[in-house]
Structure formats: structure tokens, C-alpha cells
Amino acid sequence: MAVALPKAAEPRVDRLERIWKERPGVMGWLTTVDHKRIGIMFLFTSLAFFAAGGVEALLIRSQLLQPNGTVLGPNGFNEAMTMHGVTMIFLFVVPISIGAFGNYLVPLMIGARDMAFPRLNAFSFWVFLAAGIFMYVGVFSGNAPTAGWFDYVPLAEKTYSPGSGIDFYALGLIFAGISSTATAVNLIVTIFKLRAPGMSINRMPLFCFAFLAVAFALVFALPALTCALLLLEFDRLLGFHFYDVSAGGDTILWQNLFWIFGHPEVYIIILPAFGIATSIIPTFVRRRMVAFPLVALAELLVAFIGFGVWAHHMFAVGLSQVTTIYFAAASLIIVIPSGIQLFAWITTIVTGTPRFKTPLLWIVGFIVLFIIGGLSGVMFAAIPFDQQLTDTYFVVAHFHYVIFGAAVFPILGGLYYWFPKVTGRMYHERWGQASFWVSFAGMNLTFFPMHIVGLLGMPRRQYTYPGDLGWTGYNVVESIGAYLLAAGLLMVVANLVVSLFRGERAGPDPFGGATLEWATSSPPPAYNYAVIPKVSSPYPMWDAGDRDEDVANLAGGRMVLEQGHETPASTAVDAEWDEILDMPSSSPWPLVLAVAISGIFAFVLLEQWIAAAVFVVATLVVLAAWHGKEPAEA
Ligand code: HEM
Ligand SMILES: [Cu+2]
């Protein structure tokens, strides 16, 4: 449903419609550089991978429902467990956060017409899709990796994993890393340079602070993973010895490199959820977040401190006492910025007038689950406790509370919250609440008993267990819980799919939101805003005067920028007007470049070096064309 516009503005809006019009049909999607369309493609692709990761999880739980299960054999189990972890982390939770939510909402929240680098943005999506397909070609061709999501050597070396499963894992993650890095760079430049004039850094929504922190964490963490994976492939494909102790290599090098990436990765996963929570809470409790500057700082600090704690994953490796004590202390410090946010969310809710609509319910659920997951996390900072329980189901319980509970719950709450904005339709409220309660019950039934069976000594990654160790009852409850959780998730999908076609029409701002995306129509037009919005606080929708000024500006032809594919650039801190950017429009090059790079990865995997070199040349040619004149629209 459209926003009411002054009559005098119609010719200008018509011109904007013409300038920003997307190509029709499939070609429109294959060549789009519109952040909203790219966000939607990221959304559906990452949800497809969520489904794949969910099927793998249900296979695992079906196998462990009973002692001596026969659903999966040892190798099949290792494949399902490994791909479950890899898929959920690299192909679902990170891409849906930065690729879907970040892409779709950040430009809207800062009052911009697109991301800073629209073609790079499209490229990041096509590479993500290609990397996901690459990894699942491995799965469906019987070459799934089996060494777990953190893939420790020497198990992952050629000696113990001779097939190409690990190569699909390693090359696939290097490939996917290109996409995440491109998205991260785009988010950083967009947030610093494309904010509407007047949105100085202290007026930027907390959602954007969270995504800024994520983007920086990605840029600094991914190189460690890429380096670890490259060294592994040098060992596997070219016979080097980086991790081969017998030839002077070092297996612990892998663990250090992997967790230098891996721990910041958990904050890369959870920070978008913090951002979603700080968007939903003010809207449904009708008040601004308490301690805004502290919460913004805490979001950045979580990402920063997260780079100094990685060896708490290695307390059982035999590091020196000084080292382990440092990492134990550093891991405890991280509780402070997390705690600041937790108390800010809770205080804002209890001092506001909460309306427990579906989006807020998911956020309240998130807070409860985050507390449970956070408390077990603190326990692991105690070295003796960790040395007793590392690699048991207590660990599996901990990270599912912090990943599923504290990352996926806000994502589902966010899907409900922004569904009206993206589709122009309302979801079914009572069905939404039911889907929350079923998922909340399923989540706790699945993962809480894992704490207990872990304390009873059940190791993780076991494909079966004997019936006389007292673990059976807990596993039965866990597996039933997993099916209930799956049912809750299917209720979410059913609600949104049915509402997409039958939901009540939604206006521009059905919930009375605080941030700018609610100032434009639902769904937003290709150019986002007919007039670049005026901003005087982090809650622009609650500054009625500024919204009136927008209408006056539009009628007067000020801040409309309808001479071309234009959006304003502003200074990084104070967001003073800087220049007008002429943005690229739809282009085939992002997709073509992703295809060329896929050829390199495919032929490296097949050790066809000449063919790989040909695709390197093709990639360079496409890059040159990318920087040339765009081909005329057909
Ligand atoms: C849909 C509900 C889910 C269920 C029922 C589930 C169940 C499980 C189980 C039983 C394991 C342990 C496997 C073992 O150690 O043998 C596991 C491992 C894991 N899960 Fe989940 N999970 C779910 C969702 C998720 C989500 C949403 C994420 C992340 C976004 C995730 C990430 C992981 C990771 C990283 C591992 C470790 C795999 C490894 O040891 O290499 N899971 N999951
Ligand atoms: Cu960690």
C-alpha cells in the first residue's frame, strides 16, 4: 500500500518510477542490482539451506532416538552431522542475517536508495548461491565431508580423509567467504557513506550499529579461515606438510587459525539478532531503548573482544597455564557487553507498555534462551569445568541455546515483523503466536536434556550409544522435541505463505515502528524514498515534524534527486551532505563473474589445472568488461 503523496509531486515520482524501473521477468532477477531484490534472493536461498540443515538434524535425532539405532551408519552419521553444522552456520544463519536482513533493511533504515556497491552486492548473492550448490554437489555425489564443522586435522588430511569430501568443504568455504567479504565491505561503506544527510552516527538506529559490528568482524575474521583452508588444500592437493607433524608441520596451527575465525563467527551469528531485538522492542513497548549509547557501544565491543578469546575452544589441547588463564579471563570479560544489552532490553520492556504481539513474543523467547545459553557459556570459561565437559552433549546444548535460541528466534521474529513491509500483507496473528509457543516448547525439549546427558558423560558426534548408560530417556525426549520444533517452524512457513496470498492488506506502518523503513510504502518502491528523509534522532518515525517536512520537500522538489539513478552520499560521522552518487542499474556482469569463478573452484577440485587456468583468464576478462561500459538494455 502506497504512502499518500502531494499532487504536485506526481510528475517527479513518475520520473523516479521510470528511472528506477527494474527489467521485467526472469531477466530482471538475473540482472538486478536492487538491494531489496538481492535481499529477497538471499532470504529464499538461505531458507532452502535451513531446510536442508533441518533435515540433517532430524536424521541425526532419528538415529539417536534409540540405543543402537540403524537409521544411519557411522559414515552416514558423520556426513549428516558435518553438513548439518556447516550448512546451518555458513549457508543459513550468516547469509540470512547479513544477506537478507542486512541487505534489505540497512539502506532503508539509513534513508538511502541502495547499497554503496549494487553490482558487488548482486555478485555476493550469486557467489553465495554457487558456493552452496558447489558444496551440495559434493553431498549428492556421495562426497560429503565427515570431519565435523570445525574439521580438525590430522583427520581432515588426505591420509585419514582420502576422498574429496574435505576438498568440497575447504574449497566451498573459501568460495562462500568471497560472498561474505563482499557483503561485509558493502555494509561498511554503505553505513558510513550513504546515510541520509542529518543522520549523524549518534542518530543511527541500533540495528545498523549491530550490522556494522558484524561487517567489521567478518572482514577481520574470514582471512584466518581462508588461510587455514588454503594451507589444508596445499597439503591435500599439492602434497605440502603445513599440518603434518611428521614432516615438521603443526596440527594445533589449524585449531588456532580456525578458532581465530570461529569465535568471532559466533558473534557474527548473534549480533544481527541483537540488532533485530533493538528494532522490535521499542515498537511493541512504545518507548525508546534505555541506554542507547551504551547499547551501541556494547554491540561494537562484543565484536571486538570476541577476537581475543579463541583459545577457550582449546583448553583441553595442552596449552600453557598462563595462556589458558588469559583466555579464561578474557572469555569472562565478554559477559559485560552482553549483559549491558540484556539489561537494556529487559529494562526497556518492563518500563514500557508491552503489546505481546508475535514479533515481540519471539524476542522475549530470545531473551530467555540467551540467558540460559549465556550462563552455560560462562561455565565453560572455568577451565576445569571445560576440561570435564568439552566434546560432550553439554557443549551441543550450550551452542544450540545461543545459536538457535539467541540467533534463529530473533530471525523468525524479524520475519514476522518485516513481513508486512516486504509483502504489503499482514501475517495471521494468532497463528503466529501458536507457532512461537510450539517452537519454544520444541526448542527446550530438544536442547535442555542435552545439558543433563552431557553431564552424564555422553560425548558429541557419537552415531549410536548402548542402552545401559542411562542416556536413553533423555535422547527420546530430545528427538521428540526436535520433531515438535520442526512442526513449529513449519507453522511459521505455513502462516507466511498463506498470508502472502490471503493476508489483510498492510499499510506503510502497521505497527507504528520507529525507524525509516516504515516511512515508505509496503512493499517499498524500487527507489525506496520519493524524497530523501529528514533525520533528527534514532527514532525518525516518531519525529512527526520531520515527516511533515519530507512531504513539503517533495512538493517543493527538494531532496528528490530524480535526475538519474541517484542517492546522496554524506560524511562518515556527522552525515553532512557530501555528494550525489550516480548508481549503476541492472547488469549481467555480477552473475557472469560468479559463473567464471565457479569454474575455477570446480576444476581445482577436479585437479584439472589447465581448465582452472582458463577460468582464471575468463574471470579477468569479465572483470575488465565489468569496468567497461554496461551493455545496452535489451
Ligand atoms: C532445527 C533444529 C536443530 C536440531 C534438532 C539440531 C540438532 C543437532 C544435534 C543433535 C547435533 C549434535 C550432533 C553430534 O554431535 O553428533 C547438532 C550439531 C550441530 N548443530 Fe544443530 N540442530 C538444530 C539446529 C541448528 C542450528 C539452527 C544451527 C546453527 C545455526 C546448528 C548448528 C550446529 C552445529 C555447528 C553443530 C556441530 C556439528 C559438529 O559437531 O561438527 N544446529 N545439532
Ligand atoms: Cu568461543
Side-chain angles (χ1 to χ4, degrees):
M1 192 179 290
V3 173
L5 296 171
K7 200 129 191 60
E10 276 171 21
R12 295 192 186 92
V13 173
D14 291 348
R15 225 185 347 262
L16 282 169
E17 292 280 359
R18 271 199 311 279
I19 292 166
W20 287 82
K21 193 169 173 32
E22 286 279 311
R23 285 190 196 184
V26 176
M27 267 314 273
W29 288 90
L30 294 178
T31 59
T32 189
V33 296
D34 174 9
H35 71 100
K36 299 177 292 301
R37 283 190 156 197
I38 294 166
I40 289 168
M41 294 198 284
F42 262 108
L43 177 73
F44 284 110
T45 309
S46 47
L47 285 176
F49 285 120
F50 186 35
V55 169
E56 287 145 1
L58 292 180
L59 276 173
I60 295 170
R61 286 306 337 158
S62 306
Q63 166 64 14
L64 296 170
L65 174 65
Q66 290 293 322
N68 309 311
T70 55
V71 176
L72 294 168
N75 195 55
F77 184 92
N78 290 343
E79 289 183 350
M81 172 267 290
T82 303
M83 280 315 290
H84 165 72
V86 169
T87 304
M88 285 296 197
I89 289 197
F90 293 102
L91 301 177
F92 160 60
V93 77
V94 174
I96 198 170
S97 302
I98 59 168
F101 284 90
N103 244 323
Y104 196 100
L105 292 165
V106 167
L108 286 170
M109 282 202 189
I110 63 173
R113 288 200 166 134
D114 210 324
M115 294 282 275
F117 309 117
R119 292 182 298 173
L120 180 70
N121 201 14
F123 169 74
S124 71
F125 169 73
W126 296 115
V127 169
F128 160 56
L129 178 65
I133 292 172
F134 179 90
M135 283 196 246
Y136 270 82
V137 166
V139 173
F140 293 118
S141 63
N143 296 301
T146 51
W149 89 278
F150 46 74
D151 198 58
Y152 277 5
V153 295
L155 175 62
E157 294 261 73
K158 203 83 178 169
T159 322
Y160 302 101
S161 297
S164 58
I166 301 295
D167 304 307
F168 272 105
Y169 166 93
L171 293 169
L173 291 188
I174 296 171
F175 199 2
I178 299 172
S179 167
S180 319
T181 308
T183 306
V185 167
N186 226 332
L187 281 168
I188 292 170
V189 178
T190 303
I191 290 172
F192 276 129
K193 289 301 294 173
L194 267 66
R195 298 195 311 276
M199 185 184 272
S200 51
I201 206 85
N202 60 338
R203 292 175 180 166
M204 184 168 79
L206 288 167
F207 181 93
C208 299
F209 275 101
F211 278 79
L212 188 64
V214 170
F216 272 112
L218 271 167
V219 167
F220 285 98
L222 276 167
L225 177 69
T226 306
C227 173
L229 295 166
L230 280 173
L231 299 184
L232 179 62
E233 286 305 282
F234 286 159
D235 278 14
R236 291 181 56 85
L237 301 180
L238 303 172
F240 284 64
H241 303 288
F242 287 104
Y243 302 120
D244 177 3
V245 179
S246 65
D250 178 7
T251 52
I252 305 300
L253 171 65
W254 170 270
Q255 297 193 25
N256 275 309
L257 286 173
F258 184 90
W259 291 115
I260 287 171
F261 153 80
H263 189 84
E265 175 79 347
V266 303
Y267 290 110
I268 289 164
I269 291 171
I270 208 168
L271 271 161
F274 293 172
I276 294 172
T278 54
S279 299
I280 291 178
I281 291 173
T283 300
F284 290 94
V285 305
R286 309 314 299 158
R287 64 148 297 164
R288 298 169 179 229
M289 280 289 296
V290 301
F292 178 98
L294 263 182
V295 174
L297 196 62
E299 287 176 343
L300 298 171
L301 270 180
V302 158
F304 180 72
I305 301 172
F307 279 86
V309 299
W310 78 86
H312 67 212
H313 294 270
M314 300 159 65
F315 281 159
V317 157
L319 301 172
S320 74
Q321 201 168 32
V322 177
T323 309
T324 49
I325 289 172
Y326 157 75
F327 281 103
S331 305
L332 287 171
I333 289 173
I334 224 158
V335 173
I336 300 169
S338 306
I340 288 172
Q341 296 181 73
L342 200 58
F343 289 113
W345 298 321
I346 295 172
T347 312
T348 307
I349 294 174
V350 293
T351 57
T353 47
R355 295 172 296 157
F356 289 102
K357 297 281 182 194
T358 302
L360 185 63
L361 267 186
W362 287 93
I363 297 302
V364 172
F366 144 71
I367 292 174
V368 173
L369 300 171
F370 183 51
I371 292 172
I372 298 172
L375 289 176
S376 62
V378 175
M379 295 175 194
F380 278 111
I383 301 163
F385 180 92
D386 178 79
Q387 289 174 336
Q388 288 301 317
L389 284 160
T390 191
D391 274 345
T392 71
Y393 258 88
F394 197 96
V395 179
V396 180
H398 160 65
F399 68 70
H400 281 92
Y401 268 87
V402 280
I403 297 183
F404 203 106
V408 179
F409 266 53
I411 285 171
L412 297 170
L415 283 181
Y416 275 114
Y417 180 51
W418 283 293
F419 180 80
K421 177 49 58 183
V422 177
T423 64
R425 300 254 183 183
M426 293 305 290
Y427 59 82
H428 193 284
E429 179 57 39
R430 263 189 311 153
W431 190 262
Q433 301 205 6
S435 69
F436 166 75
W437 287 112
V438 173
S439 303
F440 190 74
M443 156 85 210
N444 286 294
L445 271 182
T446 309
F447 299 114
F448 199 85
M450 288 182 182
H451 291 103
I452 304 165
V453 82
L455 286 168
L456 292 174
M458 184 173 178
R460 61 188 290 189
R461 297 179 166 178
Q462 298 293 305
Y463 90 101
T464 188
Y465 55 93
D468 56 357
L469 290 176
W471 301 346
T472 309
Y474 298 104
N475 278 282
V476 171
V477 173
E478 291 165 21
S479 297
I480 293 170
Y483 280 97
L484 185 65
L485 177 54
L489 298 174
L490 288 173
M491 286 168 73
V492 175
V493 174
N495 186 348
L496 298 183
V497 170
V498 172
S499 304
L500 189 60
F501 301 99
R502 298 235 198 104
E504 208 188 298
R505 294 272 172 210
D509 188 12
F511 305 121
T515 39
L516 278 177
E517 73 274 22
W518 305 107
T520 188
S521 61
S522 300
Y527 49 86
N528 291 355
Y529 299 101
V531 58
I532 304 300
K534 177 155 185 331
V535 176
S536 323
S537 86
Y539 303 91
M541 284 305 288
W542 295 351
D543 303 329
D546 288 351
R547 303 291 65 77
D548 296 341
E549 200 169 322
D550 285 352
V551 176
N553 280 342
L554 182 56
R558 294 178 298 277
M559 303 292 277
V560 179
L561 306 183
E562 84 278 24
Q563 301 312 318
H565 234 256
E566 297 172 335
T567 197
S570 58
T571 55
V573 177
D574 300 324
E576 279 149 9
W577 183 283
D578 194 0
E579 60 178 315
I580 296 178
L581 299 174
D582 182 26
M583 306 297 274
S585 53
S586 55
S587 163
W589 296 128
L591 174 57
V592 177
L593 186 63
V595 172
I597 293 175
S598 307
I600 301 174
F601 280 93
F603 286 110
V604 166
L605 181 103
L606 298 167
E607 298 180 59
Q608 302 291 321
W609 303 112
I610 296 170
V614 169
F615 275 93
V616 170
V617 174
T619 300
L620 295 174
V621 170
V622 176
L623 268 176
W626 174 308
H627 291 88
K629 205 167 167 325
E630 277 293 342
E633 290 209 8

